[in-house]
Amino acid sequence: MWALEKSSDLPDEVAFGQFHDRGYMPKWDPDYQDTWDRLARPDRQTILWLWQEGSEAVDLAESSLQTFAGLADLLDPDDRDDLRRRLDHQWFAARAWRAVDLFLWASLARNQGLADPDLPSFLAWAVQELASVRDEMGVAGLDSVPVAGPARIQAFLAKAAPLVPPGATPSAPPPALFLPIVVTSLQPDRATLRFSVRRPARVFVDWGTEIPDYGSVVDAGDLEPGQDATVTLAGLAPGSRVVARLRAESDGLEHRGGDFWVFVPRSQ
């Protein structure tokens, strides 16, 4: 609710807003210099990292809708309808943000001369996806939502669509390698995480109390598609919070998952 009602909206221009000003993280923490450099001059690997994060958001939104389907009959009808509307909005917004991010970063990379033949297809797919989300939101009765709504999507589309190279065939990046992390057990001194991959990969879990320097690494081994793996983070301080992300070498590139925060309970 906070993200959709109080936070920043989709851009209405093909621009990065405060990225090169307030977004310059190294002025507060020099450890972010590598991240900043990669974002300032994105390559294919960086674009796929952003695609991975956006895809995790879409996967989590879909998971919320699936969970809701099993609980809907337990709710008061008015509460049920309100929650369903919010979860639908969350799913559409996650898809819209993923498409906007893909367009922005692929466009920046292409304008800087990155020789990747897939970039025009990424741009065309992002425009196609945004148009689909806009139309689907209207069918779902979400025409009037104030944030990440059809009107805002259309404002971005009006500026983005003319920038797609003529003749580009819409094609999304490869499916995100990692599915979202799931916490399966949480105790005052440890947390057990479950995760899986869509393609064969040797997976590592980076974790710690801060980003971007996590501090600890767990080798989760070689995973096959659909195979669940579990990792237990031990020795945690009660009442603390830690962050974890997945990392792997696959397709000749390093893949990174999104940062997943785990809040450790206090001792009973």
Side-chain angles (χ1 to χ4, degrees):
M1 290 173 62
W2 178 86
L4 292 178
E5 295 181 356
K6 303 296 184 183
S7 191
S8 300
D9 205 339
L10 298 168
D12 55 8
E13 299 277 351
V14 182
F16 286 90
Q18 296 294 326
F19 172 67
H20 291 286
D21 182 11
R22 288 189 295 177
Y24 184 65
M25 290 295 293
K27 64 185 177 183
W28 291 295
D29 184 349
D31 290 339
Y32 275 95
Q33 190 64 55
D34 178 67
T35 300
W36 169 263
D37 291 341
R38 289 182 177 278
L39 293 172
R41 296 199 63 85
D43 57 9
R44 182 181 182 87
Q45 184 166 264
T46 303
I47 291 170
L48 292 181
W49 288 349
L50 293 159
W51 173 255
Q52 169 70 47
E53 289 187 347
S55 295
E56 287 181 31
V58 173
D59 288 339
L60 288 169
E62 289 177 350
S63 177
S64 293
L65 283 169
Q66 292 168 4
T67 300
F68 171 81
L71 301 174
D73 291 341
L74 304 177
L75 301 174
D76 173 84
D78 289 339
D79 292 339
R80 179 191 62 219
D81 293 345
D82 179 70
L83 181 56
R84 177 57 194 252
R85 179 180 171 86
R86 294 180 185 277
L87 292 176
D88 283 342
H89 185 196
Q90 176 178 256
W91 181 61
F92 288 124
R95 289 173 57 195
W97 267 114
R98 180 177 64 173
V100 166
D101 274 349
L102 178 63
F103 193 95
L104 288 173
W105 299 105
S107 179
L108 178 60
R110 187 169 181 269
N111 292 341
Q112 291 176 343
L114 179 64
D116 187 323
D118 290 333
L119 294 181
S121 294
F122 292 171
L123 297 176
W125 181 87
V127 165
Q128 182 184 73
E129 172 74 349
L130 285 168
S132 294
V133 172
R134 176 200 61 201
D135 295 344
E136 291 172 36
M137 291 186 79
V139 172
L142 295 171
D143 280 315
S144 62
V145 293
V147 177
R152 195 71 174 196
I153 292 173
Q154 180 55 40
F156 183 84
L157 270 174
K159 300 296 178 62
L163 302 180
V164 176
T169 301
S171 180
L177 177 61
F178 306 116
L179 279 80
I181 291 173
V182 176
V183 176
T184 59
S185 176
L186 197 56
Q187 301 176 38
D189 65 341
R190 67 190 59 234
T192 300
L193 314 179
R194 186 182 73 234
F195 48 88
S196 60
V197 294
R198 291 187 170 94
R199 298 183 295 281
R202 186 173 188 86
V203 180
F204 298 86
V205 181
D206 299 323
W207 71 279
T209 59
E210 300 293 340
I211 55 175
D213 297 321
Y214 301 80
S216 300
V217 180
V218 177
D219 184 348
D222 295 315
L223 301 185
E224 293 298 322
Q227 174 189 353
D228 281 342
T230 59
V231 164
T232 297
L233 312 181
L236 307 182
S240 65
R241 55 103 176 95
V242 295
V243 61
R245 73 164 180 200
L246 304 177
R247 178 171 50 86
E249 296 289 338
S250 179
D251 310 319
L253 296 172
E254 182 184 66
H255 294 257
R256 295 181 182 180
D259 293 315
F260 188 89
W261 291 95
V262 180
F263 295 89
V264 184
R266 297 186 181 278
S267 299
Q268 297 298 323

